[in-house]
Amino acid sequence: MKLIHIADTHLGLAAFSRLDPESGMNLREKQIYENFLRAINDIINQKPGLPRPRR
């Protein structure tokens, strides 16, 4: 059984007033979104889940 928990992601945080030249997004916000998406893909690859309840 694998259970994965993510918290305090800071999604939407824009800091340091630097812009990514390619996207125009706040650089810190872009990094946070990229790391979040990488974490989600890693979680999907790990195939977490709980056993089904017995009836």
Side-chain angles (χ1 to χ4, degrees):
M1 167 176 47
K2 288 184 184 180
L3 180 64
I4 298 173
H5 173 78
I6 293 180
D8 202 15
T9 62
H10 298 283
L11 291 174
L13 173 71
F16 308 123
S17 301
R18 290 189 187 159
L19 297 180
D20 176 60
E22 294 177 16
S23 67
M25 280 181 77
N26 177 279
L27 185 58
R28 184 65 183 134
E29 184 177 11
K30 183 176 183 260
Q31 291 170 339
I32 290 169
Y33 279 112
E34 287 171 351
N35 290 333
F36 178 77
L37 292 175
R38 188 176 312 121
I40 295 300
N41 286 325
D42 288 347
I43 291 167
I44 290 168
N45 289 333
Q46 290 182 39
K47 297 182 171 64
L50 298 174
R52 292 180 182 231
R54 295 181 187 172
R55 291 184 182 227

